[in-house]
Amino acid sequence: MGAIPEASPTSAAPIPPTDGVVKENGSVNINDLHTSAAKLSIADNATVDGSTDPVKTPFINPSSISQIPTAAALTADQTAKYEKVLTTVSSWTTKPASTPNSPAIPITDSDRMWLTRECLLRFLRATRWSVDDASKRLLATLTWRHEYGLESHTPEYISPENATGKQVLLGYDISGRPCLYLNPARQNTERSNKQVEHLVFMLERTIDLMPPGQEMLALLINFDKKMGGDRPPLWQGKMVLNILQSHYPERLGRALVINIPWVVWTFFKLINPFIDPMTREKLKFDQDLRQFVPPAQLLKTHGGDVNFTYEHEAYWPALNELAAKKRAAMVERWVSGGKKIGESEFYLRGGEDGAAASVANGDGQVS
């Protein structure tokens, strides 16, 4: 196989409304969200329930001014390495348990679907295009996903952790990356591993909402001054970093951090040695966020125009239903496409079939 041709810039702009998708009150018919992205048409900056001022539920699509960056073409050498990894992962029938002398765990359809073309490329980029290292990390992540119990972390199980809106998935940045807001001042539970499970759950939902052609997320962290001297313990920070860097490589597009008190600066200094240099470059501190996120999808608390009120009873079911419908649509397309390992995420997310092969990234997306 030769080098993959460079993709054309992908606009995140929606197209005119489709009958039956948008209801008369401005809300969206969730059951129609499985429609191909080329056919699904929703008004710019529409929310799930049609709320506007205040906004109470997630935006359906990126803003019309957001542009998903062009993906770099793979070189012949990168393509050859990808093909080697694809051959390796396609041969797997089991994944090892992390505890000694435990029986191997069968590879499931969920595992096979997770092993997309872009997934393999993300792990290759993260390992500097080492076929052996990428393959080892992919297998280790399959084991981690099973043993961590991702599929058992239901919305009902996680719900108490998000009751105060300490994490909010809302809107997209200028590159079409879903925006995940972290609000430490709204902490409502005691320090525990469940707080980390909560973050992982929200990362998975953020991935669910990525539009065709986008693989990364934007993290917006607001250390409100009311936070005072409280900060996450070092062990928790290291655990989160380890999970992100080991099992979600090449997922962070940008991290925007505002209102940083001195105790948090101290915390960042403590964990700085554990942060990957490439991740460190994506951190932006106390900058004007309107240059990174369209104001029409940026919260007022972060300098934008969106008057957002967190009401758990409205937001939580709307987010999870939207994410579930998008996941179901991806499964449907994966099954229709033949349950392939190495399937294109562009195709799975509703992109046109003919464009699927042309969006795989090489060295990464243009920022």
Side-chain angles (χ1 to χ4, degrees), residues 15-23 32 35-43:
I15 50 183
T18 297
D19 292 342
V21 175
V22 180
K23 301 177 184 178
D32 288 334
T35 310
S36 169
K39 299 176 183 177
L40 176 62
S41 311
I42 297 173

Side-chain angles (χ1 to χ4, degrees), residues 184-221:
R186 297 181 184 176
Q187 183 59 260
N188 63 318
T189 58
E190 296 297 323
R191 294 171 180 172
S192 68
N193 286 333
K194 192 171 181 180
Q195 292 181 346
V196 181
E197 293 173 349
H198 175 215
L199 176 60
V200 172
F201 179 90
M202 293 299 283
L203 284 173
E204 290 286 323
R205 301 296 75 76
T206 303
I207 293 169
D208 289 338
L209 299 193
M210 289 177 178
Q214 182 53 264
E215 302 177 50
M216 298 182 178
L217 62 93
L219 201 60
L220 290 79
I221 309 175

